[in-house]
Amino acid sequence: MVDVVFTGGRVFTGTCAEPIEAAVAVEDGRIVRIGAPTRARQTVDLRGGLLVAGFQDAHVHPVFAGLQMGNCDLSGEHEVEGYLAVIAAYTTDNTWITGGGWSMDAFPGGTPTRQLLDQVTGERPALLTNRDGHGAWVNTAALRLAGIDATTPDPFDGRIEREPGGHPAGTLHEGAMDLVARHVPPATGEEMYEGLLRGQRHLFAMGVTGWQDAMVGVYPGQPDNLPAYLRAAGEGTLQARVVGALWWDRERGLEQIPELAERRITKNRFAATTVKMMLDGVAENFTAAMLEPYLDGCGCPTSNSGLSFVDPEVTREAVQRLDALGFQIHFHALGDRAVRQALDAVEHARRTNGANDNRHHLAHLQVVHPDDVGRFARAGAAANMQPLWASHEKQMDELTIPFLGPERAAQQYPFGDLARAGARLVAGSDWSVSSPNPLWGIHVAVNRSFPGDDNPFYPEQALTLAQALTAYTAGSAWVNHLDDVTGTVQVGKRADLVVLDRDPFAAPPSEIGATEVVRTYVDGRLVYERKATA
């Protein structure tokens, strides 16, 4: 008699394109049988739903997202009035007001002002990051405390939005955030630990049983999150399977490689075996690195083609050395110049070191030049997608497409082309930048639009349901070097499983986003169950 048997629905094993009719038996945390139902101590009735392998998020920030959930969290609002109401109602004993989650498209030009924030904060300094983490909204008190005025120069990796006359306007992009963030009292170790556990609970509710934390280290306004992971791994409270991407300090160079090697550690369910290199910014604030300049509001080329946070020659040498040490490289590469820079570095490492199994991957891939699409498969670099972004929304339609132009805009998020060219697809959310719900991401990957939206975003780049679901399961398990442990429903694999309330293969693609997680299991043990509704 086995411990658990799942029956009464179909199973997407991840080894074929369609679900199969079968029962799945689990014993001692492993899948031991797929086929006819068998006697078990517990029977889980799928009620016509679908059983899938646990989702894995290949690019996510659970500790910082969990912290934000406990601070001034603006992510539930979408308009200026809502943001101001949340900030005005936020109470804390801390000197600073911190948090974030605001969307650039809610403000003219994507840049909120200090005067607007002053209305609800008064003389209490405030720093609120936007939803993508690449900018911050600060008030007059914060600017004054940090000593930032019209004479303060822009840092090499950022920009201060300015009023006429040069005084800071209240929005700080990229590295400019640190000018204020360095004055914010850092979160305590206990707060970081609680943020991790809060983030883990939320991800379990989304069916996510494993992830790659895309930033393990010190970031503007936040202390090192590595101790939180090591504590949770040591105490057994980290139940998910996690790979940590150690942060490459873009203000330093090759001298940091020995330090990264010292921080490489594996402890129970946590492995810090990856290095994260952020090569550029984001398109909405014109810091994503582009091969050609951005356009202005009239459609004419400007002198700005974005920022490269890491010199291409330093990138090549660093990747080659880290690859030789056995590190995986996780690139933030959003603009087409950054994508090319990352691929150049991976190819250089392969020529120098030879082929290996490090499984480097490029995240975001908003704009990929057609000449580079085929290079992913040839270089053995995975395409780390955030599918939820491949859709029409105000930030895309008002702050991005007009400044890229029609030809380059059509090169955004080319998931279909990458798949056809043989690239390995993996998937993530970048939460707290966007929702960590894999089913919403899968919906957009297949429909190229949000649920309820009938205006697809370059629909020729759509994926099939099987492709998108595989990217979120077997694909991300592969990039985390967990493909021999989980990611597919196969005999011998760990029973990291998710029960969905319906079978999305049996309904129109337009209904995928309505699918919900009913239960989440890790090692055959229930870690989340949806509350029953009346």
Side-chain angles (χ1 to χ4, degrees):
M1 182 180 294
V2 299
D3 293 332
V4 185
V5 65
F6 297 87
T7 187
R10 295 201 296 173
V11 181
F12 182 75
T13 64
T15 60
C16 54
E18 292 289 331
I20 63 172
E21 298 280 353
V24 174
V26 174
E27 177 77 17
D28 292 331
R30 291 188 181 275
I31 299 168
V32 295
R33 181 177 177 180
I34 301 174
T38 187
R39 293 180 61 207
R41 297 175 184 87
Q42 178 188 8
T43 298
V44 176
D45 186 354
L46 301 179
R47 298 181 180 274
L50 186 69
L51 184 70
V52 301
F55 299 119
Q56 296 199 35
D57 194 313
H59 185 110
V60 67
H61 306 282
V63 180
F64 301 122
L67 278 173
Q68 179 175 295
M69 293 171 72
N71 292 329
C72 186
D73 187 6
L74 305 178
S75 61
E77 301 292 333
H78 304 283
E79 302 295 339
V80 174
E81 293 76 12
Y83 297 148
L84 295 177
V86 171
I87 298 167
Y90 178 69
T91 58
T92 177
D93 294 332
N94 298 327
T95 302
W96 282 76
I97 299 172
T98 58
W102 55 272
S103 180
M104 292 178 66
D105 57 57
F107 301 93
T111 55
T113 66
R114 61 187 175 92
Q115 292 89 350
L116 191 61
L117 191 52
D118 290 346
Q119 295 175 16
V120 290
T121 58
E123 288 300 309
R124 294 184 65 191
L127 183 147
L128 300 163
T129 56
N130 68 13
R131 71 176 188 179
D132 63 22
H134 290 264
W137 184 13
V138 296
N139 64 358
T140 301
L143 291 166
R144 185 187 309 119
L145 189 151
I148 303 174
D149 57 24
T151 66
T152 305
D154 289 345
F156 81 95
D157 59 348
R159 186 176 77 252
I160 302 169
E161 288 289 340
R162 300 180 189 270
E163 301 166 354
H167 193 82
T171 301
L172 306 175
H173 300 291
E174 303 295 347
M177 292 187 292
D178 196 40
L179 299 175
V180 171
R182 64 178 60 138
H183 298 276
V184 178
T188 66
E190 188 66 27
E191 288 170 335
M192 298 289 282
Y193 177 71
E194 290 299 323
L196 169 58
L197 298 186
R198 190 181 295 120
Q200 178 177 245
R201 289 192 296 271
H202 191 64
L203 289 172
F204 281 162
M206 300 292 110
V208 176
T209 59
W211 62 79
Q212 184 161 141
D213 190 314
M215 191 184 68
V216 174
V218 177
Y219 193 71
Q222 301 294 352
D224 190 0
N225 53 354
L226 180 59
Y229 275 114
L230 295 180
R231 175 182 169 184
E235 294 181 359
T237 52
L238 183 65
Q239 299 168 283
R241 307 182 198 279
V242 180
V243 170
L246 300 170
W247 181 248
W248 176 268
D249 186 346
R250 61 200 190 203
E251 296 187 17
R252 303 175 63 200
L254 302 173
E255 74 279 1
Q256 64 188 290
I257 291 177
E259 299 166 26
L260 291 167
E262 290 179 2
R263 284 168 62 83
R264 178 166 50 185
I265 187 170
T266 298
K267 188 172 186 178
N268 299 330
R269 293 175 179 266
F270 176 74
T273 51
T274 298
V275 171
K276 165 70 175 297
M277 299 186 77
M278 181 177 283
L279 300 185
D280 68 341
V282 294
E284 306 88 65
N285 66 10
F286 314 121
T287 59
M290 298 293 181
L291 293 168
E292 301 293 336
Y294 290 94
L295 307 181
D296 62 18
C298 298
C300 298
T302 68
S303 60
N304 176 29
S305 57
L307 298 177
S308 291
F309 294 153
V310 185
D311 179 85
E313 287 304 315
V314 173
T315 304
R316 284 165 56 92
E317 182 65 19
V319 171
Q320 183 267 312
R321 293 191 190 185
L322 291 166
D323 177 78
L325 291 172
F327 275 109
Q328 175 187 76
I329 312 300
H330 182 153
F331 297 96
H332 168 116
L334 197 139
D336 52 9
R337 190 171 85 239
V339 171
R340 184 165 293 180
Q341 179 179 336
L343 291 170
D344 287 346
V346 172
E347 290 176 345
H348 172 69
R350 291 195 72 174
R351 287 193 300 269
T352 305
N353 300 335
N356 55 43
D357 195 35
N358 290 340
R359 306 183 184 185
H360 308 311
H361 50 121
L362 283 65
H364 306 325
L365 309 174
Q366 180 163 354
V367 181
V368 182
H369 192 282
D371 292 348
D372 294 323
V373 168
R375 297 177 66 193
F376 283 79
R378 294 195 297 271
N384 188 333
M385 312 178 295
Q386 283 62 61
L388 199 61
W389 303 351
S391 58
H392 285 290
E393 57 175 340
K394 287 179 64 178
Q395 187 161 297
M396 172 61 71
D397 294 342
E398 298 178 8
L399 300 180
T400 305
I401 290 177
F403 305 98
L404 294 180
E407 181 179 357
R408 190 163 46 180
Q411 296 168 7
Q412 293 183 94
Y413 305 119
F415 306 148
D417 284 348
L418 287 163
R420 288 184 284 271
R424 186 183 293 271
L425 303 182
V426 308
S429 67
D430 207 4
W431 183 54
S432 62
V433 173
S434 49
S435 169
N437 187 339
L439 292 159
W440 288 359
I442 290 168
H443 179 101
V444 175
V446 174
N447 293 280
R448 299 288 288 199
S449 62
F450 285 123
D453 183 1
D454 58 1
N455 181 25
F457 181 82
Y458 304 105
E460 65 275 12
Q461 299 299 341
L463 300 176
T464 66
L465 175 53
Q467 286 175 319
L469 187 51
T470 299
Y472 269 103
T473 51
S476 294
W478 178 88
V479 92
N480 278 343
H481 286 87
L482 290 170
D483 49 314
D484 61 341
V485 176
T486 184
T488 56
V489 183
Q490 292 179 275
V491 172
K493 294 282 185 77
R494 303 303 299 183
D496 298 353
L497 301 168
V498 175
V499 177
L500 304 180
D501 70 342
R502 68 197 71 191
D503 182 351
F505 287 89
S510 60
E511 298 179 11
I512 294 171
T515 308
E516 295 185 1
V517 171
V518 177
R519 298 184 187 88
T520 304
Y521 295 82
V522 175
D523 285 331
R525 184 166 49 86
L526 185 69
V527 294
Y528 166 77
E529 184 170 21
R530 185 180 65 179
K531 293 181 179 179
T533 57

